[in-house]
Amino acid sequence: MAMLLSGCSGSAHADNTTITIKEKDEVRMEIASSYVWLYALMYKDQYESFFGADFWTQTDESGTTFEEIYKNDMLAEIQHVKLTVLAAQDSGMTLTDEEVDMCKANAAEFIHSIEKETQKKTGIDEEVYARFEEDFALYEKYKTEFLETKTVQADEEGLKQSDFFILTFYNYETNEEGEITEYTGAELEAVKKKAEDAYAMLQSGKTMEEVAIAYDMDPDECMLVTGRTPVDARDEYYDEAFENAAFALKEGEYSPVTECLDGYCIIQMVSEINEEETASAIEYAKQQLLEDLYLNHLNELAKRYVMYIEDEEWNAITFQTEIAFVDEDSEVSE
């Protein structure tokens, strides 16, 4: 979708149009500032709960602020929802009276979770949130109907999940502050010797669980369910040595001491296929393929439209504005 900055004059206001979507010369949709502020409030609350209020001014490795990055993400999300709403309208799809009533009821309840001052600053009210709810309801309805006719095939063999029991002798230590110090020289040799001694215990007839306990490891924490890492998901943390050793085993077998990213490992194949986890991995992969199909559909829809952004209105919307949901503790107190 083309995004054109129009540079209109006038101050940012809840009723002002921030985004206009046109099909050729026909205005198909106008999106008010208050609607965009609702998204901004949700993004702000979500990310600040993890990273704090100063998160937005921090930058990534390219020098782009996280506010810029997530405003673009927010714009893309609005675009996806509104394109779907347009497609639904063009196909004749609507919400039932019951669905509309549910959206209004949700809005009447939700509005009380937003601070009064925030409502005044942004123009977010019951009507704005009801529209937001209706858009998402129509989005889900249209998307579900579209994907019901689609079939996808996942790489089921490549998604097979296996159960492993792993004894890991780490090549580093972590202090109370979480700082990591990697072992070198004699310390590293001592770790390797410990792993070799553990392997000797296994060869003498001890079980993996017994050896784990002997080295103060929790047997439950030694269990791992995993499959092979897809080629396109491998990065600097990909542990090729571990996977090669693990998936060369047959059920019940254990590996010799293997040098891995975290140190020295002894790996036992407990079960070649974990049926439940494998089914879950296949289902997840299919859902991702369906999501890709829908994204392609949105890209096709986007060729019909031009999105105009009123730059002064858009620039006035910032995650650094003091807006917030009602504090849960104070709400309970009241």
Side-chain angles (χ1 to χ4, degrees):
M1 176 176 284
M3 300 179 183
L4 307 181
L5 304 183
S6 62
C8 78
S9 59
S11 61
H13 188 273
D15 294 333
N16 287 359
T17 297
T18 299
I19 302 169
T20 302
I21 301 176
K22 289 186 177 182
E23 184 176 7
K24 296 181 179 178
D25 293 328
E26 178 188 359
V27 174
R28 294 298 310 276
M29 187 175 287
E30 292 180 324
I31 303 171
S33 176
S34 54
Y35 186 93
V36 182
W37 269 117
L38 178 56
Y39 273 86
L41 174 60
M42 293 177 175
Y43 269 65
K44 176 181 173 71
D45 182 72
Q46 177 184 352
Y47 287 98
E48 286 188 7
S49 66
F50 286 102
F51 305 114
D54 63 345
F55 171 67
W56 308 111
T57 57
Q58 297 174 28
T59 60
D60 67 2
E61 57 189 17
S62 70
T64 307
T65 66
F66 287 114
E67 173 153 87
E68 292 177 81
I69 292 169
Y70 286 104
K71 277 191 76 174
N72 285 334
D73 285 354
M74 181 176 74
L75 184 62
E77 185 175 347
I78 293 171
Q79 172 192 346
H80 290 173
V81 172
K82 289 298 190 180
L83 283 183
T84 299
V85 169
L86 285 173
Q89 291 172 348
D90 290 344
S91 70
M93 179 181 287
T94 59
L95 297 178
T96 65
D97 290 342
E98 291 80 7
E99 289 168 332
V100 171
D101 288 343
M102 178 62 73
C103 292
K104 290 179 179 177
N106 290 343
E109 181 177 351
F110 181 84
I111 198 65
H112 298 295
S113 69
I114 302 175
E115 287 185 347
K116 294 292 185 183
E117 189 60 32
T118 294
Q119 294 179 41
K120 291 178 185 177
K121 283 182 181 179
T122 62
I124 300 170
D125 56 18
E126 283 188 37
E127 184 179 349
V128 171
Y129 190 76
R131 169 56 60 194
F132 173 87
E133 283 262 330
E134 288 172 18
D135 284 348
F136 265 95
L138 201 53
Y139 172 90
E140 290 295 336
K141 198 171 188 177
Y142 177 87
K143 181 179 176 182
T144 298
E145 185 174 290
F146 175 84
L147 292 178
E148 278 177 352
T149 63
K150 310 300 179 185
T151 57
V152 292
Q153 185 63 45
D155 175 17
E156 297 191 8
E157 181 61 29
L159 292 166
K160 183 174 69 175
Q161 303 293 299
S162 303
D163 294 311
F164 295 99
F165 192 104
I166 306 163
L167 301 173
T168 305
F169 299 86
Y170 294 98
N171 56 12
Y172 61 86
E173 65 177 356
T174 308
N175 64 19
E176 293 179 356
E177 286 73 37
E179 298 170 333
I180 293 174
T181 303
E182 294 187 3
Y183 294 138
T184 58
E187 290 178 321
L188 191 58
E189 284 299 317
V191 171
K192 184 177 181 181
K193 176 66 165 55
K194 189 183 293 186
E196 290 170 343
D197 289 345
Y199 183 72
M201 290 176 66
L202 291 170
Q203 290 187 305
S204 71
K206 297 290 186 182
T207 66
M208 294 286 280
E209 290 82 358
E210 289 171 336
V211 175
I213 293 170
Y215 284 92
D216 296 323
M217 300 178 190
D218 183 343
D220 290 338
E221 294 182 2
C222 293
M223 291 297 298
L224 174 69
V225 182
T226 188
R228 281 195 176 275
T229 305
V231 173
D232 59 1
R234 297 174 183 177
D235 56 21
E236 68 267 29
Y237 300 111
Y238 171 62
D239 198 337
E240 184 176 8
F242 172 85
E243 286 198 3
N244 287 342
F247 291 101
L249 300 170
K250 291 184 170 54
E251 196 165 297
E253 292 181 344
Y254 55 82
S255 71
V257 174
T258 302
E259 186 172 4
C260 303
L261 285 179
D262 288 334
Y264 296 94
C265 299
I266 303 171
I267 309 158
Q268 183 182 45
M269 171 77 78
V270 178
S271 175
E272 288 191 48
I273 180 166
N274 181 311
E275 299 286 354
E276 183 177 348
E277 292 295 331
T278 297
S280 178
I282 292 170
E283 180 59 28
Y284 177 78
K286 287 182 177 179
Q287 289 301 317
Q288 292 302 112
L289 290 171
L290 288 171
E291 288 295 329
D292 290 342
L293 275 181
Y294 193 69
L295 185 58
N296 290 337
H297 178 60
L298 285 173
N299 290 336
E300 288 301 312
L301 287 175
K303 294 176 182 177
R304 295 166 44 190
Y305 302 97
V306 177
M307 177 184 278
Y308 294 87
I309 301 174
E310 306 294 340
D311 60 348
E312 190 164 343
E313 303 297 327
W314 176 252
N315 291 337
I317 295 171
T318 167
F319 301 130
Q320 298 177 62
T321 301
E322 291 187 8
I323 55 176
F325 287 104
V326 174
D327 182 81
E328 290 182 5
D329 292 336
S330 64
E331 188 176 24
V332 169
S333 175
E334 291 171 10

